[in-house]
Amino acid sequence: MNTSTSSSAPQGALPRIAVLATGGTIAGSAADVTNTAGYQAGVVGVDQLLAAVPALSTIAQIHAEQVASIDSKDMALALWTTLAQRVNALLSTDDIDGVVITHGTDTLEETAWLLHLTVKSAKPVVLTAAMRPASALSADGPLNLVNAVTVAASPAAHGQGVLVAFNNRIHSARDVVKTSTFAVDAFQSPEVGALGWVQDGRVEFQRSVVRPHTAATEFVIGATWPDVEIVASYAGASRVAVDALVAAGVRGIVVAGTGNGSIHASMQQALADAVSQGVAVVRSSRVGSGHVMRNGAAPDDAFGFVTANSLNPYKARVLLMLALAAGGTGSVALQRAFDTY
Ligand code: SIN
C-alpha cells in the first residue's frame, strides 16, 4: 500500500480526510476521449486523481493511500478484510476525521454495505465512483470525488453510517444499488430514496438511516469468510446448481428468487434438502425493489428458510457471511439478523 499526502496551501483547521483508492472506472483510462465503454479500469493512481481536482485543498487536508488498483468486478474477500481493517485503523486515530473510498461501480454497493456493518466509528465513511473513465470528455469522477470529500468533511455526516456520494446525491450503504449499465445517474435507493444531497459545497440530509450500523452492530471484520454463494430461480430452473454447491461444502446459499422471493419447485426441494444438511438458505428477490418477508407456513417455516427483507441478493450474501462468521446458526438466529440490519 503506497501512502502520500496531497500538497496544498496552509490549511488551518480544515478536516483531515483519508482518500483510499481501490481502482474502478473513476481511475480508468481509454485511448480516446469519446470512449466510455472500452477502457481499462483502475490504472490511474490516487495522486493523479487528486491532482486533477485542485479544489480539494480548500475542502480538506488529504491523506491518500492506494489500497488496490482493480476493476471492482474482481473484488476479493481478502481485499475486503484489508480495506475494512485499514478504515477502522485510520478512524481510530485522532489524526483522521473521515474516509473517502474511490471504488468501481460494479461492486460498490457490496463493499459499502460490508463497511456499514463492520466499521466501528461514527466518523464519516463515503464511497464514490464514476461511470466514465478519467480520460473521458465530461468525466464524472472529479466532481463525484469533490462531493465525496465534502460529505466526509461535513459534521452532518457523523453517525449516518457508510455513505455513497454519487451524482450529487448521498445514499445510505444499506439502500443504494447500481441500476444502470451506462447512465451517469447510475445509483439509486429503490423504495426509500437518497438520504440527501451535496452540491457546491453544501451538504443536506433529508432523513437518517433507522437500522443499526457501524459501531452498533455485532459484526467485526475477520480474516476468514464462510463460503456463501448465490443461485437464481427462473423458468425451467433445476436442482443441479444447488446440489453442486452443497456437495462443494458451502455454508450458505442466497436465492435470487422470482417476484416475492419465490423459487421453482425443483430448486426449492433441493434447497430444503440443503437446510437439512446444515446449509443456511436465504430467500431474496431478483426484482430489484421491494422486500421479501416470511411466508408463514410454506416454504419458510416448513423448510427452515430465512428471508432477506429488503436486501438484494448481493447484499444478503454479505450479511449472511457476517452472521455465519459471528457464530449465527439456525433460521431463527439468522432471521433476527436480517430483520435487525
Ligand atoms: C469497476 O467496477 O471497477 C468498473 C466499472 C466502473 O467502475 O464503473
Side-chain angles (χ1 to χ4, degrees):
M1 194 184 321
N2 301 319
T3 67
S4 63
T5 303
S6 74
S7 62
S8 52
Q11 292 154 328
L14 287 179
R16 294 148 307 172
I17 304 299
V19 175
L20 307 186
T22 67
T25 293
I26 193 168
S29 186
D32 192 301
V33 294
T34 61
N35 190 334
T36 59
Y39 57 88
Q40 199 178 348
V43 293
V44 177
V46 65
D47 288 334
Q48 212 178 322
L49 287 185
L50 295 169
V53 200
L56 285 173
S57 66
T58 65
I59 304 168
Q61 302 174 59
I62 305 290
H63 162 84
E65 298 186 6
Q66 191 78 47
V67 175
S69 299
I70 61 164
D71 185 319
S72 79
K73 72 179 175 58
D74 297 322
M75 178 55 71
L77 300 180
L79 180 53
W80 267 356
T81 298
T82 301
L83 183 61
Q85 287 174 340
R86 188 64 192 136
V87 172
N88 276 311
L90 286 163
L91 294 181
S92 70
T93 73
D94 291 335
D95 301 332
I96 292 294
D97 299 310
V99 169
V100 167
I101 299 168
T102 60
H103 199 287
T105 60
D106 287 346
T107 57
L108 181 145
E109 70 205 54
E110 297 169 57
T111 301
W113 174 231
L114 170 82
L115 296 173
H116 191 69
L117 295 172
T118 57
V119 166
K120 300 302 172 197
S121 174
K123 294 178 185 174
V125 177
V126 185
L127 281 80
T128 197
M131 290 299 287
R132 295 176 181 152
S135 56
L137 282 177
S138 303
D140 51 333
L143 188 55
N144 282 344
L145 181 56
V146 167
N147 285 337
V149 172
T150 302
V151 174
S154 168
H158 272 249
Q160 301 276 8
V162 173
L163 303 169
V164 173
F166 203 89
N167 204 36
N168 292 102
R169 293 200 177 82
I170 306 166
H171 297 270
S172 169
R174 188 184 188 286
D175 305 321
V176 74
V177 291
K178 183 175 178 179
T179 59
S180 173
T181 57
F182 72 98
V184 172
D185 203 5
F187 284 87
Q188 309 289 334
S189 295
E191 302 288 343
V192 291
L195 292 183
W197 51 262
V198 49
Q199 186 178 30
D200 299 352
R202 275 195 63 185
V203 173
E204 189 167 317
F205 283 83
Q206 289 152 333
R207 67 178 182 88
S208 292
V209 282
V210 172
R211 288 177 172 238
H213 54 75
T214 53
T217 82
E218 64 211 83
F219 306 119
V220 290
I221 195 72
T224 56
W225 295 84
D227 193 356
V228 174
E229 301 287 341
I230 299 173
V231 297
S233 189
Y234 41 82
S238 75
R239 59 179 298 146
V240 172
V242 173
D243 286 343
L245 291 174
V246 172
V250 297
R251 296 211 29 221
I253 298 174
V254 174
V255 189
T258 40
N260 183 27
S262 55
I263 305 166
H264 192 287
S266 308
M267 178 176 275
Q268 181 160 283
Q269 186 54 53
L271 290 162
D273 295 345
V275 173
S276 67
Q277 294 183 55
V279 176
V281 170
V282 177
R283 291 195 301 118
S284 64
S285 176
R286 64 182 209 182
V287 165
S289 65
H291 53 238
V292 178
M293 306 302 285
R294 289 189 74 78
N295 260 347
D300 301 321
D301 292 349
F303 300 143
F305 294 167
V306 174
T307 55
N309 202 290
S310 53
L311 296 178
N312 70 19
Y314 319 104
K315 289 187 182 180
R317 173 175 174 265
V318 173
L319 179 54
L320 182 55
M321 285 194 291
L322 290 174
L324 290 171
T329 51
S331 61
V332 174
L334 294 172
Q335 188 66 65
R336 184 198 56 77
F338 279 87
D339 290 342
T340 302
Y341 301 106

